[in-house]
Amino acid sequence: MTRASLLAGLALLPAGWLLAGLPLGMIGHMAGHMIAVAIAAPLLAFGLAGTAADPARRWPHIVTPMAMMLVELMVVWLWHLPVLRAAARSFPVLVIEQFCFLAAGLLLWSSVCYAPRRAAGIGALLLTSMHMTLLGVLIGLAPRPLYPMAHHGLAGVDALVDQQLGGVIMLLLGAASYFLGGLALLASLLRQRSIA
């Protein structure tokens, strides 16, 4: 199961990077971003859990759920500033951006999968879901394009509509991933307590 999770996470990464790199506007950017932090990262973290490559096992005093929730919050919000979003149109900056998304997501999911910290992990996923939802709402409901200089979207799609759809993608994928992750952690914690 863990090997399949690791392979699935590795297989999804190129698809996310391709979506983020193609001229698909905020729709592609958000799809690539969410694949990195909310789909590939949890699969990779689950696949690495308990191994020597597990960041939470290697650095248990640093890779904690609340600390990594703050790291992901900073990474996600900073890369959605209009100036950085525009800079990510260049390939080298796009690579750095996608690496930051993947690293922040992997560290967060690794910290919440670490067995001794599952209760704190539930809180970290809830807070991450909240800040991702807030950012998705702000992007999706903005009355004007926040990223006009970064718009290079699908032909015929207005910059504001592209941005609104990007916000919806963030809301749907982010909310589902973190909510389901929190429920899975809660279920494992309850099973563990019922056995003990």
Side-chain angles (χ1 to χ4, degrees), residues 7-29:
L7 292 174
L10 289 171
L12 282 170
L13 281 177
W17 292 335
L18 184 63
L19 283 170
L22 288 174
L24 300 175
M26 285 299 289
I27 295 169
H29 164 76

Side-chain angles (χ1 to χ4, degrees), residues 18 20 23 35 44 57-58 92 107 120 127 134-136 140 145 156 180 190:
L18 184 63
I35 287 171
L44 292 171
R57 184 175 174 212
R58 290 182 71 131
L107 290 170
L127 291 170
L134 177 60
L135 183 58
L180 293 173
L190 292 174

